[in-house]
């Protein structure tokens, strides 16, 4: 549940209900030689099915699959062909950095809520026109970002984002389009985020450039 306090109450009720109606009865239901066979079977099943997910071996496998293998593969790519990938990526970063401030937002179209009805669940189109100057559309990504604030006792924020599609490029301008379907009613704040894009970047934080509209 979104409300953490309500979630805590539900979890507590579930645990107490299991203790009262299932676990306690199994534990005290004794048979041959005063042995709680149902309870022992329950524990054996838990050890067999649950425990393996919380072992050091499982943690090592997670690290290996999620991080170490990926880092190793990336390191091998970076070292290949006499560090060609490193040189190309460094050159690309310098080029983008020199021309980043030359990106201009020419126009942005979105549903006008003062003139048309915006209904929950319906799909709407938004468009962005950019002047990239020396940059190529493949050098950047453009996305819409919609924060959803939860003003409870603890301020929480979840963010929805979706990338625009490049529609065309002409006269030094790049035209982008996207279809968005509102997931909730009410006032929505949104922004257009422009970021560097390259298949050889491991993550966005590797090249800390961003432009907002």
């Amino acid at each position: 549940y979104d409300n953490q306090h309500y979630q805590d109450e539900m979890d507590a009720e579930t645990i107490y209900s299991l203790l009262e109606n299932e676990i306690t009865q199994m534990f005290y239901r004794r048979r041959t030689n005063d042995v709680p066979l149902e309870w022992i079977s329950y524990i054996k099943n838990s050890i067999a099915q649950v425990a393996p997910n919380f072992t050091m071996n499982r943690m090592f496998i997670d690290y290996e699959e999620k991080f170490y293998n990926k880092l190793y593969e990336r390191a091998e790519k970076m070292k290949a062909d006499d560090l060609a990938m490193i040189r190309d990526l460094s050159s690309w970063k310098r080029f983008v950095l020199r021309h980043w401030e030359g990106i201009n937002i020419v126009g942005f179209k979105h549903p006008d809520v003062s003139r048309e009805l915006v209904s929950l669940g319906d799909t709407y189109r938004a468009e962005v026109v950019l002047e990239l100057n020396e940059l190529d559309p493949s050098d950047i990504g453009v996305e819409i970002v919609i924060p959803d604030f939860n003003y409870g006792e603890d301020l929480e924020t979840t963010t929805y984002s979706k990338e625009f599609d490049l529609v065309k490029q002409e006269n030094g301008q790049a035209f982008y389009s996207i279809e968005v379907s509102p997931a909730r009613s009410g006032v929505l704040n949104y922004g257009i985020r422009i970021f560097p894009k390259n298949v050889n970047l491991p993550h966005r934080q590797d090249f800390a450039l961003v432009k907002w509209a």
Side-chain angles (χ1 to χ4, degrees), residues 27-93:
F27 183 78
Y28 287 106
R29 189 178 296 126
R30 306 301 174 99
R31 296 185 181 177
T32 306
N33 298 323
D34 198 33
V35 176
L37 296 179
E38 289 181 81
W39 174 246
I40 292 174
S41 175
Y42 196 90
I43 292 300
K44 285 183 176 180
N45 183 69
S46 296
I47 293 173
Q49 301 295 328
V50 179
N53 295 315
F54 297 93
T55 63
M56 186 64 69
N57 182 60
R58 193 274 307 164
M59 187 185 74
F60 278 134
I61 292 174
D62 282 354
Y63 272 94
E64 188 175 77
E65 293 178 350
K66 294 180 179 179
F67 305 105
Y68 297 143
N69 286 347
K70 293 180 180 179
L71 288 173
Y72 173 77
E73 291 171 2
R74 178 171 174 79
E76 290 299 302
K77 290 180 180 178
M78 294 174 72
K79 292 186 292 184
D81 300 323
D82 194 25
L83 307 179
M85 175 182 162
I86 294 177
R87 292 197 300 271
D88 291 345
L89 188 58
S90 297
S91 176
W92 175 81
K93 283 185 175 183

Side-chain angles (χ1 to χ4, degrees), residues 2 145-150 155-161 184 189:
D2 293 334
V145 180
I146 304 174
D148 187 2
F149 294 98
N150 178 21
L155 178 61
E156 298 178 0
T157 306
T158 56
T159 302
Y160 167 84
S161 63
R184 67 173 181 84
N189 295 313

Side-chain angles (χ1 to χ4, degrees), residues 10 20 46 49 52 92 96 102 113 116 120 140 145 159 161 164 196 208:
M10 290 296 295
E20 181 180 359
S46 296
Q49 301 295 328
W92 175 81
V96 172
V113 296
E116 60 181 300
L120 189 67
I140 68 165
V145 180
T159 302
S161 63
F164 282 79

Side-chain angles (χ1 to χ4, degrees), residues 108 126 142-146 160-164 178 180 190-193:
F108 175 55
V142 185
E143 63 184 358
I144 188 168
V145 180
I146 304 174
Y160 167 84
S161 63
K162 185 177 181 181
E163 192 167 342
F164 282 79
I178 192 176
V180 180
Y190 64 88
I192 305 301
R193 181 164 59 193

